[in-house]
């Protein structure tokens, strides 16, 4: 009985084994990846608290939209974005509904770009990728280290700030709405209110 050619030649045999192994690793990796929407459409309504639905514009707010406009559309990012309440409470940034984007001053853009540097990582990170029993850390765009873990109810916690909503997708960017502002201690001191001022 004749042996097949691949068993006679050890180089061909090793090549076949390596190719089959690589193909199996690729197939296993593809099946384990979470499903991420690539388009700009929202596939499911966002859930707030006890199931009330909101549109994606209400979720991100004016300042959130401005932050996302600073990122390129064709690259994957994850942004741990402050909620509108957190912008007002922690950064004292408020916008009137009648105020046009042209009237927003340069100082506001500077603050938003700093916050974006602290709270964005250059990769796509959905909540399903974070294990419940093990946290991860990533460097933000500015080099600030973000410690990310998952709470018992599935919400993310980043540097002790809890998320309100997770996995809001905008093109290649994944946004997690946070109940606070992710920033370093030096910047936090610069935005604290001055108690010596009146009013």
């Amino acid at each position: 009985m004749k042996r097949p050619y691949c068993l006679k030649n050890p180089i061909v045999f090793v090549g076949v084994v390596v190719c089959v192994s690589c193909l199996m690793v690729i197939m296993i990796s593809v099946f384990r990846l979470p499903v991420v929407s690539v388009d700009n459409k929202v596939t499911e309504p966002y859930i707030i608290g006890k199931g009330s639905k909101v549109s994606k514009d209400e979720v991100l707010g004016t300042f959130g939209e401005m932050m996302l406009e600073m990122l390129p559309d064709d690259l994957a990012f994850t942004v741990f974005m402050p909620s509108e309440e957190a912008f007002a409470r922690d950064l004292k940034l408020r916008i009137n509904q009648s105020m046009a984007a042209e009237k927003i001053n340069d100082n506001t853009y500077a603050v938003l770009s700093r916050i974006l540097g602290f709270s964005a990582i250059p990769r796509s990170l959905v909540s399903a990728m974070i294990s419940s029993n093990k946290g991860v850390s990533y460097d933000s765009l500015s080099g600030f280290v973000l410690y990310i873990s998952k709470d018992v109810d599935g919400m993310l916690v980043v540097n002790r700030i809890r998320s309100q909503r997770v996995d809001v997708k905008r093109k290649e960017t994944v946004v997690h709405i946070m109940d606070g502002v992710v920033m370093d201690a030096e910047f936090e001191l610069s935005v604290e209110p001055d108690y010596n001022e009146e009013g």
Side-chain angles (χ1 to χ4, degrees):
M1 187 167 145
K2 255 180 123 177
R3 290 192 311 178
Y5 177 73
C6 67
L7 294 178
K8 285 183 192 176
N9 189 342
I11 295 174
V12 172
F13 178 73
V14 170
V16 169
V17 169
V18 168
C19 289
V20 169
S21 299
C22 290
L23 184 62
M24 288 178 59
V25 167
I26 290 171
M27 289 175 54
I28 290 170
S29 298
V30 167
F31 289 123
R32 294 190 66 190
L33 290 176
V35 177
V36 178
S37 174
V38 180
D39 59 354
N40 196 18
K41 295 181 181 176
V42 180
T43 55
E44 294 181 12
Y46 303 110
I47 306 300
I48 302 176
K50 296 183 175 121
S52 59
K53 299 175 184 176
V54 295
S55 73
K56 64 183 178 183
D57 294 330
E58 289 178 74
V59 169
L60 298 182
T62 304
F63 294 121
E65 291 290 340
M66 290 169 62
M67 283 177 66
L68 287 185
E69 288 173 5
M70 296 178 193
L71 293 173
D73 290 337
D74 57 342
L75 297 176
F77 287 95
T78 300
V79 181
F80 300 98
M81 183 179 296
S83 65
E84 282 293 303
E85 297 82 24
F87 275 117
R89 180 186 67 230
D90 300 341
L91 298 174
K92 308 301 182 248
L93 290 178
R94 293 177 182 83
I95 190 164
N96 299 334
Q97 296 299 330
S98 60
M99 185 184 289
E102 297 86 35
K103 293 184 181 178
I104 296 174
N105 62 25
D106 291 338
N107 187 39
T108 302
Y109 281 107
V111 169
L112 292 178
S113 66
R114 285 292 300 271
I115 296 302
L116 182 64
F118 293 132
S119 62
I121 59 174
R123 64 168 301 186
S124 181
L125 183 71
V126 294
S127 61
M129 297 169 76
I130 306 296
S131 173
S132 296
N133 56 359
K134 183 177 161 189
V136 295
S137 65
Y138 291 102
D139 287 340
S140 69
L141 294 177
S142 67
F144 182 59
V145 179
L146 302 178
Y147 300 100
I148 307 162
S149 60
K150 189 182 279 188
D151 214 346
V152 291
D153 61 354
M155 299 306 263
L156 297 180
V157 178
V158 180
N159 292 14
R160 296 185 314 234
I161 299 173
R162 193 170 190 281
S163 63
Q164 291 180 345
R165 295 171 201 87
V166 297
D167 302 334
V168 179
K169 295 173 184 72
R170 284 298 190 84
K171 295 185 181 176
E172 297 296 316
T173 302
V174 178
V175 180
H176 305 289
I177 309 297
M178 309 302 290
D179 187 26
V181 181
V182 177
M183 57 185 157
D184 71 0
E186 183 180 337
F187 189 73
E188 187 174 359
L189 286 173
S190 72
V191 296
E192 281 185 353
D194 187 2
Y195 294 106
N196 295 329
E197 293 179 7
E198 293 183 28

